Amino acid sequence: MATNEEALAALNAVMGPDGRTPLPQSGALSGLSIHDDKIYLSLSVSPDQAKASEPMRLAAEQALKALPGVTAAFVALTAERPPQPKPSQPLTSHGDAPAQGPGLDHVKQIVAIASGKGGVGKSTTAANLAVALAALGQKVGLLDADVFGPSLPMLFGVSGKPNLASDGHLLEPFVKYGVKLISIGFLVPDDAAVVWRGPLVMTAIRQLLRDVAWGDLDVLVVDMPPGTGDVQLTMAQNASLAGAVIVSTPQDMALIDARRAIAMFNQVKTPVLGLFENMSYFLCPHCGGRTEIFAHGGAKAEAEKHNVRFLGAAPLDLKIRETSDAGAPVVASAPDSAQARPYFELARAVQDELNKGKRRAPVFSAV
Ligand code: ADP
């Protein structure tokens, strides 16, 4: 295995953004990690230098790959500033233009799973939805863009670093339960994601969209970070989402946050496919009885108020949590169970909404 010192020594032969200072001294190195025979490096450049920096990126990749014991090197350019959101510009409906960026070339539609706040079960819903769509015959990818708490590795029981595809540049997604999987959690150490600054986070998300060998996909499900900040806006603007599913619990506070999420997607002209209520009622694991813990019907009423479709409700249920914790979402481990049913209904409703709107192919706008 190569060491950090060997990697830095190899990078000495590559000049930084000014063309004169070797990379390690140029201030552009923003991350280096070595995992077995693979090296991951990030280089920070200003957005206007992004295009011109491609030869530097390639040279760095080649220098690292040439090290003994290294089979693959993945060098990512991260811009220091994200593009400023311009809510007034048309953000979706790019006609039939194909997706840009090699990874998205054959991705037909991108669907974001979002929530106004964390902990409402967004990732659980995204995982089960993705597996259900795959079970219904769709070609599905799942991108875990939840930089504040990537949970896909746990939900699917996959870990380690993704391989590089045969072209040596795109990341090869993992595949489990028929779903192609990539998580920001695969690329950074467990504790690193939380300290990322917003702009770096956004660039990382853009790269996860663009630099993954997704291949042919009918739907790419994106597990978004919670909230309605710049990350969501920039994501919505960069990836031309076919639509968003908002996940909420029935409590008033969560619904207020869900309302904000709906408003945000409306603002950036991303169709809201509907609202899904999680932890809607309690299914007793002993008697199977159903208890309405929270005021029932909150999300449904909220959906009607905002003229968005109510996409169904999943119970608060031990089996849903346990299967998720065990790396086999309930739709994969118990597809015929009562607990899996709401996710299949959600998947059908999402397909229906996507077909109804005849939504366009995603267009990736490069930085
Ligand atoms: P988020 O992505 O919104 O932060 P998660 O999907 O990570 O939320 O869920 C938070 C926690 O709640 C996890 O431990 C998960 O297993 C659990 N959970 C999510 N949905 C349910 C459910 N319907 N029933 C029981 N536990 C659930």
Side-chain angles (χ1 to χ4, degrees):
M1 190 170 122
T3 61
N4 273 10
E5 290 67 34
E6 285 165 343
L8 291 174
L11 292 171
N12 261 327
V14 181
M15 293 303 128
D18 66 359
R20 283 176 281 121
T21 317
L23 257 183
Q25 289 87 51
S26 70
L29 288 197
S30 52
L32 171 67
S33 67
I34 302 176
H35 295 267
D36 302 327
D37 54 350
K38 300 184 190 70
I39 300 189
Y40 298 80
L41 175 78
S42 52
L43 301 174
S44 296
V45 295
S46 64
D48 52 316
Q49 285 177 322
K51 244 196 181 128
S53 302
E54 183 58 17
M56 173 181 80
R57 193 191 68 74
L58 280 174
E61 231 165 50
Q62 274 156 14
L64 294 173
K65 248 188 243 169
L67 283 170
V70 173
T71 58
F74 182 67
V75 178
L77 288 179
T78 64
E80 276 155 0
R81 271 181 296 115
Q84 291 308 304
K86 293 183 198 125
S88 56
Q89 81 192 42
L91 301 167
T92 51
S93 303
H94 292 269
D96 291 320
Q100 293 163 12
L104 283 181
D105 274 352
H106 303 287
V107 175
K108 291 199 186 117
Q109 290 175 310
I110 302 178
V111 173
I113 312 301
S115 64
K117 62 184 206 125
V120 300
K122 171 183 55 58
S123 301
T124 307
T125 306
N128 280 294
L129 168 65
V131 178
L133 284 168
L136 294 175
Q138 299 267 284
K139 292 190 197 107
V140 185
L142 176 59
L143 168 63
D144 174 12
D146 189 348
V147 289
F148 305 112
S151 46
L152 183 148
M154 187 194 73
L155 283 166
F156 283 82
V158 288
S159 58
K161 298 278 160 187
N163 287 319
L164 290 179
S166 49
D167 74 343
H169 180 51
L170 296 182
L171 289 173
E172 194 73 69
F174 289 90
V175 182
K176 199 152 177 195
Y177 312 127
V179 180
K180 291 184 178 171
L181 305 166
I182 279 286
S183 168
I184 194 132
F186 294 147
L187 301 183
V188 292
D190 281 351
D191 52 351
V194 287
V195 298
W196 283 24
R197 286 180 296 121
L200 284 184
V201 160
M202 271 325 300
T203 320
I205 290 175
R206 279 196 289 269
Q207 274 165 344
L208 285 185
L209 279 167
R210 203 174 34 186
D211 296 343
V212 174
W214 292 113
D216 267 339
L217 288 188
D218 295 311
V219 187
L220 175 61
V221 176
V222 181
D223 183 3
M224 301 277 279
T228 54
D230 283 353
V231 174
Q232 283 71 15
L233 278 176
T234 317
M235 174 83 192
Q237 293 183 324
N238 280 278
S240 186
L241 305 171
V245 170
I246 313 289
V247 179
S248 178
T249 55
Q251 296 97 319
D252 289 346
M253 285 315 286
L255 283 167
I256 290 170
D257 289 315
R259 200 176 302 159
R260 287 203 192 103
I262 293 174
M264 192 262 320
F265 282 110
N266 282 339
Q267 191 197 350
V268 295
K269 311 264 187 294
T270 295
V272 174
L273 303 182
L275 189 62
F276 184 75
E277 187 173 82
N278 190 35
M279 309 190 202
S280 177
Y281 49 91
F282 176 66
L283 269 192
C284 174
H286 307 295
C287 68
R290 175 175 168 146
T291 313
E292 310 290 343
I293 305 179
F294 309 108
H296 185 62
K300 191 158 194 257
E302 196 68 27
E304 278 161 12
K305 200 154 93 194
H306 293 278
N307 211 14
V308 300
R309 182 166 172 174
F310 179 62
L311 297 168
L316 172 64
D317 184 277
L318 196 58
K319 188 166 181 161
I320 294 180
R321 192 186 60 71
E322 282 175 348
T323 49
S324 291
D325 286 355
V330 72
V331 170
S333 51
D336 298 323
S337 63
Q339 290 86 345
R341 203 172 305 135
Y343 298 110
F344 278 106
E345 281 163 15
L346 170 65
R348 287 198 193 89
V350 165
Q351 277 183 318
D352 182 41
E353 282 299 306
L354 290 174
N355 291 337
K356 212 195 273 176
K358 293 223 177 349
R359 315 211 191 267
R360 302 300 192 181
V363 171
F364 183 86
S365 16
V367 192

